[in-house]
């Protein structure tokens, strides 16, 4: 069931401070993001790179003109599985005032629709192992932990 009071749109450069604030407003983000206003140059450069890439979509959810959520969709072509395209969902955040109200579910319904429109056969995401609530939420949407993800942080 979709929340018709939510509107979805592509993020604009003028939304950058709001997006970074959303990313910083949780247990993990508060330690790794810089919500200074105006947004630091690293965020501006990343936003510009996302905007230039036709396979990237930084999207916002709005309610009554106020941004209440964000996520990034990456559309990934691949040769495996007979050339199957994948949708990758990252940087999902819902405003604290909206958590538990169905906003996240509505955002995912919209995002999955975007992936279908782009011809994706699989949608994947990663979630930090410390985010037990997020994992339960993703499982309630039908996501299954079929693989073990690994990351290697490279020095900047």
């Amino acid at each position: 069931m979709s929340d018709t009071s939510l509107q979805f749109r592509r993020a604009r450069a003028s939304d950058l401070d709001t997006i970074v604030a959303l990313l910083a407003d949780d247990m993990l983000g508060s330690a790794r993001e810089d919500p200074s206003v105006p947004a630091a140059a690293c965020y501006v450069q990343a936003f510009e790179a996302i905007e230039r890439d036709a396979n990237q979509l930084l999207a916002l959810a709005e309610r009554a003109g106020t941004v209440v959520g964000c996520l990034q969709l990456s559309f990934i072509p691949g040769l495996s599985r007979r050339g199957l395209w994948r949708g990758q969902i990252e940087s999902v955040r819902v405003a604290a005032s909206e958590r538990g109200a169905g906003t996240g579910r509505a955002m995912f319904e919209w995002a999955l629709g975007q992936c279908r429109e782009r011809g994706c056969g699989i949608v994947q995401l990663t979630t930090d192992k410390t985010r037990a609530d997020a994992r339960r939420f993703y499982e309630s949407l039908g996501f299954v932990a079929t693989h073990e993800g690994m990351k290697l942080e490279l020095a900047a």
Side-chain angles (χ1 to χ4, degrees), residues 89-131:
I89 302 175
E90 292 289 336
S91 300
V92 178
R93 295 294 189 283
V94 174
S97 62
E98 294 275 325
R99 293 180 192 146
T103 302
R105 186 167 298 277
M107 288 171 55
F108 266 82
E109 288 174 4
W110 179 84
L112 295 173
Q114 296 298 302
C115 290
R116 285 184 188 97
E117 285 181 22
R118 289 286 298 257
C120 295
I122 291 177
V123 178
Q124 59 193 28
L125 56 80
T126 60
T127 189
D128 192 284
K129 288 184 176 190
T130 64
R131 295 180 189 265

Side-chain angles (χ1 to χ4, degrees), residues 50-124:
I50 291 166
E51 276 296 288
R52 285 190 304 269
D53 187 336
N55 287 321
Q56 300 295 321
L57 174 57
L58 184 57
L60 301 180
E62 289 183 325
R63 186 184 311 282
T66 299
V67 174
V68 296
C70 65
L71 59 78
Q72 182 175 345
L73 290 173
S74 298
F75 304 104
I76 307 167
L79 292 176
S80 66
R81 296 183 181 227
R82 305 175 64 85
L84 186 77
W85 278 73
R86 295 170 191 261
Q88 175 85 20
I89 302 175
E90 292 289 336
S91 300
V92 178
R93 295 294 189 283
V94 174
S97 62
E98 294 275 325
R99 293 180 192 146
T103 302
R105 186 167 298 277
M107 288 171 55
F108 266 82
E109 288 174 4
W110 179 84
L112 295 173
Q114 296 298 302
C115 290
R116 285 184 188 97
E117 285 181 22
R118 289 286 298 257
C120 295
I122 291 177
V123 178
Q124 59 193 28

